[in-house]
Amino acid sequence: MKKHTLLLILILILFSPLFAVSQEISTADGGEVCLLVIDKLALDDLSNDNTPALVNLVKTGSVGLSSNRTLGRGNTEDACLTIGAGNLAQSFGQRIMGLNSDELVETRNQTASQLHQNLTGKNPANTSVLMIKISELLAGVAKNNVNTQLGTLGEILGKSHIPVCVLGNGDINQQFYRASVAIAMDASGRVPLGNVGPLTSNHVKDSFVTTQTNYTYLEKESLSYTQKPLVKIIELSDLARLEKADTADPEILKQEKRNILKKIDGFANSAANNLDFNRDLLMVVVPSAAADKVKQKDTFTPIIIKGPGYKEGFLSSGATRSDYIIASTDIASTILHFYKLQDDTGTMIGQPIVSRKSQQSDTLSAAKLIEDQAKIVNLIRTPLVKGYVILQIAVIVLILLCLVSAKKMAELISPLLLVLLAAPLVFLLLGKLGLVVVWHNIIVAIGSILLITLIFSKIYKNNLYTALVVIAAATLIIINYDVLTGSSLIKSSVLGYDLMSGARYYGIGNEYVGVVVGSSILLASSLYQRFNKPLVLWLIALFFLSQCILLGSPGLGAQSDGMITTPIAFLLTLALITGKKINLKALLILGVTVAVTVIGGVVYDMSSSLEMQSHIGRAANQITQGGIHNGLTIIMRKLAMNIKLINYSIWSYVFLVILATLGILLYVPVGGMTFIKSQYPILFKGFAGILAGAIVGGVINDSGIVLAATTSIYLVAPILSLMINIPSRVSSSTTDSSTLSQTNDKLSIQLD
């Protein structure tokens, strides 16, 4: 074990640098950043007919899709707070209430300046716009297990003497909607320049959208701010007003939207014409998706950037490592990088957005294709995953009942166990078919799973266990290939991660980490049971090592919890199958080995360039900058997420059913588990390793119940397949040696 441990550490250290790359990012200083905030704008809205200026910006600049994850429901206010903080945030209360400092807060009979000072104790002198409810917002964020600091972007810009200006509002029907103030404000809720008052909007009588943006006034007001450097944030919220307005006839609604788009496009054209793109930056940002898009589970929003370093290409970032996709938390980091500023708070999780040259001339269509594919995956995820989970429970319970009461029936339906392992394989490949109709995907998925089950049940008619191992091996090989080539299969899989939600953008998600752990141990223990030789053991050790690198390398899987789970599960499995005693000393060696391995990987990740650090390295940097408090915050957030998923995730039911099944199989059929342990000790120890991996992954992972459930599939299905082939006489206390010999011969077929 000491040799295995040393080899594991050395190869991790030697090979991890092979998986990192660097990316140069262009910068300019002294210019203006103009941020056009066009809430509810969709990629579909961009056309030569309605928005020629925006389409031209796409052609001459760079376009991407923004993942707008927040701490809350992802509404406009949550999104703007998140953009301004450069970290996940959430609004609290009815509205966030941004006002001009001299505006009267009628319900308080005080000006915004007076009320802000009374609430915060800070003098808002020389401040044009104020976030009145800043104290309420700060108190709300403090209750979450995050290190988010609201107003970080404005705070850093202010300290660097770069003024921030915010213009425009989304008010409608005498209600304040001024979310862009959350992007512009500093940590005290202050914006030095701007106007978000009633003059920036008009009350109209020729439309059912009774309040609309005063584009003429905004254009004139915008031109009055001539100093540079300057960050100018302009809110154009008529599309959001359209959603809040009274219900209109469909044709009237379409016409009104066309009118709004043309007005927005005209303003964008004027803004672009007033900028020098050799030194100025124009960003078109959409905080939240339109309501009809959300219903379709399409929450990507377009983002367009033009300026130094952003010409004729598509957008990406170190946070997503995905073509055309950025996170809304990247916007603040991009603005800071434009001015060559650093986040001295250590709380921003975004990375500067970069532009890359596209091989396709029509980047707008390319972005649309990616959006449509992600939407389809989201639409089919619920029916397929929920159906798979229900099927798992049904198959496990049905076969268990048959084992207890109708053994012949259990043998008859035993091929159903193949379904449990065939589904992850099919789900891995389904997204690459490019099917654009939901029910087409569902039919193909079900048909493929049944086809694999039928083929393998015929090929391995008397070798169900072998069929399970072969399917597990095929799945593992494809996962390895996919991760080494960019994880495109996992990204498009219903068992992968949701790019739109932004929980993960690259590497291996929790579902497939469980698949890797379970299938690796199943394959390794089966091989060693069949070929019990020292060379095979060394090959298994190297194989386990390769899977640790696959999951833990910053340039590949980048799975922080998997980086801990896999070494523990694999080293424990090696110890068990080699006959090592698991005592306090062994556990101590195991703990030190895993700790050294993880620390080495984290240190290497931290030493990479900032834009190429994975979330593991960035989290470690946050801890080193913020101290033990940040570390505890991350731990508490993971615990909270795990508890939440245990209570609400459908995977919890699978794991509980599997644990209950394993408990029952210890006693029923009588002697069955004892027979497997005595006749196939290495397999039995491998099963123990899989169970250990499931439990460890379930405890330390922030989505642990998912990892535990998918790992356990590769435990319960093989055990049930072996149990089915144990004759009832084996469980009798009068079993003779000839019966045991015949049974052993029958089971040995399973491993050939």
Side-chain angles (χ1 to χ4, degrees), residues 414 418 456-470 721-722 725 745-752:
S414 61
L418 296 172
F456 275 78
S457 64
K458 291 295 184 182
I459 295 176
Y460 300 95
K461 188 174 182 179
N462 298 315
N463 297 271
L464 182 60
Y465 181 91
T466 303
L468 292 170
V469 173
V470 171
S721 73
L722 293 177
N725 286 284
D745 290 341
K746 182 179 180 181
L747 281 175
S748 67
I749 298 175
Q750 304 287 324
L751 305 176
D752 288 340

Side-chain angles (χ1 to χ4, degrees), residues 83-96:
I83 293 172
N87 202 335
L88 306 183
Q90 178 182 2
S91 61
F92 298 87
Q94 292 183 340
R95 284 178 299 279
I96 56 179

Side-chain angles (χ1 to χ4, degrees), residues 273-324:
N273 289 336
N274 289 314
L275 294 174
D276 176 3
F277 287 114
N278 290 318
R279 63 194 301 260
D280 298 331
L281 195 66
L282 176 64
M283 304 178 73
V284 177
V285 173
V286 182
S288 63
D292 61 334
K293 288 290 185 180
V294 174
K295 290 179 182 178
Q296 298 171 28
K297 296 191 175 182
D298 180 2
T299 57
F300 272 145
T301 59
I303 178 169
I304 307 168
I305 305 180
K306 183 175 180 180
Y310 299 91
K311 295 179 181 179
E312 299 177 354
F314 63 85
L315 300 173
S316 182
S317 81
T320 66
R321 300 186 187 178
S322 299
D323 293 352
Y324 284 90

Side-chain angles (χ1 to χ4, degrees), residues 66-118:
S66 178
S67 170
N68 300 307
R69 184 187 178 198
T70 70
L71 283 180
R73 295 169 294 176
N75 59 31
T76 305
E77 295 181 341
D78 292 351
C80 287
L81 285 166
T82 295
I83 293 172
N87 202 335
L88 306 183
Q90 178 182 2
S91 61
F92 298 87
Q94 292 183 340
R95 284 178 299 279
I96 56 179
M97 287 190 68
L99 289 86
N100 289 344
S101 59
D102 58 356
E103 276 190 274
L104 181 67
V105 185
E106 295 183 357
T107 57
R108 305 294 189 274
N109 198 30
Q110 294 179 355
T111 65
S113 179
Q114 291 169 334
L115 182 57
H116 183 275
Q117 183 167 356
N118 290 336

